[in-house]
């Protein structure tokens, strides 16, 4: 099938190309990203936003910022953003740390690459018994019987980062029950609804 080039088609194609350009988040996108992060880190979000960047030979600390590239949101130092302008747009695959991505419907979702940042600033945590780690790393929810420890004051729908008993971040999800309710549950009750885990680096390698 042949494609006829028209002024209208050029405008459409130009719009698509523009949308793929690395750019700062707009106000609505920033609100979505911050709301998702706040669900996991609470007031520690301020530390993420104001975290100083120490890169290069400049003695003055820089800042981190949020950038959108091909519907994926990155947490990246300003100095790296400046250096990235020397890379052709089509050759720029990623930069900094990917936090998540926007769906075609415009909804933002955190992805497993954000785990390091979430774990460092997590407000709510669950530690898994060694016998339950593999189940979670295959994408399953966290059950009461697999929980070794849990932080206090978790409420239903809070963002929760999941760790091994040796404090290795394994993934994250959403609290199905409060901390108090979890203590009264039977061993097969769901404590954390799975959202992402490091097993995705093997299971979903082509999609990350």
């Amino acid at each position: 099938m042949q494609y006829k080039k028209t002024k209208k088609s050029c405008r459409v194609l130009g719009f698509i190309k523009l949308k793929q350009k690395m750019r700062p988040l707009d106000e609505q996108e920033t609100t979505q990203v911050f709301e998702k992060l706040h669900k996991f880190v609470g007031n520690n979000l301020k530390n993420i936003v104001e975290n100083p960047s120490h890169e290069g030979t400049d003695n003055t600390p820089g800042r981190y910022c949020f950038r959108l590239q091909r519907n994926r949101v990155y947490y990246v130092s300003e100095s790296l953003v400046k250096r990235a302008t020397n890379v052709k747009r089509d050759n720029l695959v990623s930069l900094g740390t990917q936090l998540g991505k926007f769906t075609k419907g415009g909804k933002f979702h955190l992805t497993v690459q954000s785990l390091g940042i979430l774990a460092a600033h997590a407000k709510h945590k669950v530690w898994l018994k060694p016998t339950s780690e593999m189940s979670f790393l295959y994408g399953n929810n966290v059950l009461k019987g697999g929980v070794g420890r849990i932080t206090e004051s978790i409420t239903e729908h809070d963002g929760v980062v999941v760790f091994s008993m040796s404090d290795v971040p394994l993934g994250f999800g959403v609290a199905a029950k409060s901390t108090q309710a979890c203590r009264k549950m039977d061993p097969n009750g769901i404590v954390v609804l799975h959202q992402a885990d490091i097993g995705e680096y093997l299971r979903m390698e082509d999609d990350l």
Side-chain angles (χ1 to χ4, degrees), residues 130-180:
T131 52
S132 299
E133 290 180 14
M134 192 59 66
S135 175
F136 180 73
L137 295 178
Y138 274 103
N140 296 312
N141 298 324
V142 175
L143 305 182
K144 165 68 180 301
V147 176
R149 291 164 53 199
I150 185 171
T151 52
E152 299 291 340
S153 302
I154 292 178
T155 60
E156 189 174 354
H157 305 308
D158 278 342
V160 179
V161 178
V162 179
F163 293 81
S164 70
M165 292 301 290
S166 56
D167 285 327
V168 176
L170 301 177
F172 55 87
V174 175
K177 299 289 183 180
S178 67
T179 302
Q180 288 187 332

Side-chain angles (χ1 to χ4, degrees), residues 80-182:
L80 184 56
V81 170
K82 292 177 182 178
R83 294 199 297 273
T85 58
N86 296 320
V87 180
K88 285 186 177 181
R89 183 186 307 169
D90 294 339
N91 295 336
L92 185 60
V93 178
S94 68
L95 71 167
T97 300
Q98 180 179 312
L99 294 178
K101 58 185 179 181
F102 284 94
T103 65
K104 292 181 179 179
K107 300 294 183 181
F108 178 72
H109 295 284
L110 292 169
T111 53
V112 68
Q113 295 95 326
S114 67
L115 179 58
I117 292 175
L118 297 182
H121 301 277
K123 184 178 179 182
H124 304 299
K125 304 177 182 180
V126 164
W127 290 263
L128 296 185
K129 296 176 182 178
T131 52
S132 299
E133 290 180 14
M134 192 59 66
S135 175
F136 180 73
L137 295 178
Y138 274 103
N140 296 312
N141 298 324
V142 175
L143 305 182
K144 165 68 180 301
V147 176
R149 291 164 53 199
I150 185 171
T151 52
E152 299 291 340
S153 302
I154 292 178
T155 60
E156 189 174 354
H157 305 308
D158 278 342
V160 179
V161 178
V162 179
F163 293 81
S164 70
M165 292 301 290
S166 56
D167 285 327
V168 176
L170 301 177
F172 55 87
V174 175
K177 299 289 183 180
S178 67
T179 302
Q180 288 187 332
C182 288

Side-chain angles (χ1 to χ4, degrees), residues 23 30 32 134 137 184 187 189:
R23 62 170 176 81
T30 300
Q32 284 199 60
M134 192 59 66
L137 295 178
K184 301 174 184 177

